[in-house]
Amino acid sequence: MLAKRVVVFVLLALLVLGVSAQDGQTVKIYTSWPLTGGTQAIGQSMLNAVNLALEHYLADNEGMGPAGLTVQVVPLDDASPTSGAWDGQIEAENAQRCVNDPECLVYMGTYNSGAAAVSMPITNAAGVVQVSPANSYAGLTRSCPTCAEDEPGIYRPSGEVNYFRVAATDDVQGPAAASWAVCLGFENVYVLDDTQAYGAGIANEFVNHAEEIGLNVVGRSSLETADSDPRSALTAALRDGADLIYGGFVLDSGGPRVVQAMYDEGLFDEGIKFMGPDGILSAALIEQVGGAEILANNTYFTFPGLLPSLLSNEQGVRFYTDYVEQFGEEPDPYSVYAYASMQVVLNALGSASETGTVDRASVLEAVRSTADFEGIIGTFGFDENGDNTAAAFYGYDFESDNFSNPTAITPTMHETCE
């Protein structure tokens, strides 16, 4: 009888050791987005938010990581020192570094949708979960009328979904922007883009919906590089009677240059306004265009959520207050989504530990199973494509030196404009 009790005790002890053996196990989360160049301010703010989310988690759990894990953030820069913009070769190298590191269980990124198209096949083939705080090009996760025929399958060589994102997609943002433009009273729009997956993609979405709802698209052109001169396009817009220019850009692909040229060439004086997507809604835009007075009363922007200073839930207020106190500046709008992504990952690490093994497969499955998660951006989960189940968009104008007057926008708001 004593022998049996000893055996049972040993088995129970081994069972306990099997779980607690994870205590002290190091888990690495690689982040990849621009930390230099034109979007450096956004990337650094996103990284600050990731570290702050981990700091808050540890503070709430007596200094312990999920299930006793030691969580290490490994920040990587996917911007080229030459161009100052994201670079496909660097992004591929970043993803491969994670894949080659056995302790890397999560690849967090990217900021640019085009960069995600590079890293997704690499992480997918290796079975590493990828979580993006910012990508919004619809074709990364599902087929759509403006997507390429082989999307999103081309990003999933394993045939399994390993990519998830907390931000909403452009096939909602572009149409919502077109409907909002109608409600603002615009009738004729000239569309510019940067030819990239994000910029051209959201411009396509805007144009398609504009034509469906009777918003007249008087012209369209593209800027091949961030240094391209937009003045000939702006001259065409003025000639063709545009009262709005819609620009599919990010900060380092020419967006600030277009706004600055509109000011320099007198388009704002002619009453022509600019509207742009989330990719250029950043405090960094103010300095890059030459000052807040250029943006004030001349520009409109769309973004998938409330700006950090407007968050009213307990987690949002804590994030904003601690961020400003610790870093001495306003957090970038996308820092909220970086924080939310880290919350999802930390929660998934805890869920994975309940299976007895924390590895790439268990963490991937835990992220995939995320549902009704209460985070800084509210309650959400991921659908079968990897998209946020509770995404929404807001429109902003610019006054009093800041992005202001948030308005909930939808692709159908033009029907009543309420």
Side-chain angles (χ1 to χ4, degrees):
M1 187 64 181
L2 179 61
K4 287 184 178 179
R5 288 178 176 173
V6 170
V7 170
V8 170
F9 174 79
V10 171
L11 289 175
L12 288 173
L14 288 174
L15 181 60
V16 172
L17 286 172
V19 175
S20 62
Q22 296 162 5
D23 290 351
Q25 175 187 342
T26 296
V27 171
K28 293 180 182 175
I29 300 169
Y30 278 57
T31 64
S32 181
W33 48 67
L35 295 174
T36 55
T39 51
Q40 177 183 13
I42 297 174
Q44 186 58 55
S45 186
M46 290 168 61
L47 180 59
N48 292 343
V50 167
N51 289 324
L52 186 57
L54 177 58
E55 182 180 315
H56 282 167
Y57 185 96
L58 295 174
D60 294 341
N61 292 275
E62 300 179 343
M64 299 287 288
L69 297 166
T70 298
V71 179
Q72 180 179 345
V73 177
V74 181
L76 301 177
D77 182 2
D78 70 0
S80 164
T82 302
S83 68
W86 74 271
D87 182 276
Q89 181 176 348
I90 297 173
E91 174 58 28
E93 291 172 353
N94 288 351
Q96 198 61 53
R97 280 185 61 181
C98 168
V99 168
N100 293 342
D101 183 349
E103 293 183 321
C104 179
L105 302 191
V106 178
Y107 190 72
M108 189 182 295
T110 60
Y111 174 73
N112 300 86
S113 292
V118 173
S119 54
M120 286 174 67
I122 297 172
T123 58
N124 184 276
V128 176
V129 66
Q130 183 167 347
V131 180
S132 170
N135 299 152
S136 55
Y137 174 57
L140 295 175
T141 55
R142 62 178 186 273
S143 59
C144 69
T146 57
C147 298
E149 289 186 2
D150 54 358
E151 292 177 327
I154 191 172
Y155 310 122
R156 301 168 178 162
S158 73
E160 300 293 329
V161 174
N162 77 309
Y163 169 90
F164 305 85
R165 53 182 164 188
V166 297
T169 54
D170 297 337
D171 56 350
V172 178
Q173 181 175 199
S179 290
W180 187 39
V182 170
C183 293
L184 290 170
F186 295 110
E187 297 178 349
N188 300 300
V189 58
Y190 192 96
V191 178
L192 274 166
D193 69 68
D194 59 9
T195 74
Q196 297 186 21
Y198 166 78
I202 196 167
N204 290 339
E205 298 290 352
F206 182 96
V207 168
N208 287 350
H209 194 61
E211 293 172 343
E212 291 173 356
I213 63 176
L215 179 61
N216 188 29
V217 179
V218 298
R220 179 173 181 179
S221 58
S222 301
L223 303 182
E224 296 295 333
T225 70
D227 297 327
S228 297
D229 190 340
R231 285 180 294 183
S232 61
L234 299 182
T235 299
L238 187 61
R239 178 197 63 208
D240 295 338
D243 53 11
L244 177 69
I245 289 180
Y246 182 81
F249 295 97
V250 293
L251 287 179
D252 60 9
S253 72
R257 188 176 177 87
V258 171
V259 175
Q260 191 173 41
M262 288 182 68
Y263 175 79
D264 292 341
E265 298 302 312
L267 272 72
F268 290 146
D269 292 336
E270 295 288 336
I272 303 174
K273 308 297 184 183
F274 174 87
M275 179 181 288
D278 57 316
I280 58 172
L281 194 161
S282 169
L285 177 67
I286 301 172
E287 180 180 352
Q288 292 187 19
V289 302
E293 66 277 10
I294 293 178
L295 298 174
N297 304 315
N298 293 320
T299 54
Y300 297 92
F301 304 89
T302 56
F303 192 79
L306 289 172
L307 301 183
S309 61
L310 301 177
L311 293 172
S312 58
N313 61 18
E314 184 177 348
Q315 295 183 45
V317 171
R318 182 190 190 191
F319 163 75
Y320 180 76
T321 302
D322 288 357
Y323 187 102
V324 172
E325 180 178 347
Q326 187 171 146
F327 301 106
E329 62 183 15
E330 289 283 317
D332 182 85
Y334 263 112
S335 66
V336 175
Y337 292 87
Y339 187 97
S341 296
M342 189 62 170
Q343 286 185 311
V344 167
V345 168
L346 293 170
N347 180 68
L349 291 173
S351 298
S353 70
E354 296 174 1
T355 69
T357 303
V358 180
D359 57 15
R360 289 176 175 177
S362 63
V363 176
L364 170 56
E365 183 55 36
V367 173
R368 180 184 289 127
S369 301
T370 299
D372 299 326
F373 176 71
E374 295 184 10
I376 188 174
I377 57 174
T379 302
F380 68 99
F382 297 117
D383 64 17
E384 68 276 12
N385 300 311
D387 288 327
N388 184 332
T389 55
F393 278 96
Y394 287 82
Y396 295 84
D397 59 20
F398 193 97
E399 64 178 30
S400 302
D401 297 335
N402 209 344
F403 303 97
S404 306
N405 302 314
T407 301
I409 62 173
T410 71
T412 59
M413 69 181 297
H414 65 280
E415 296 173 355
T416 60
C417 290
E418 293 180 349

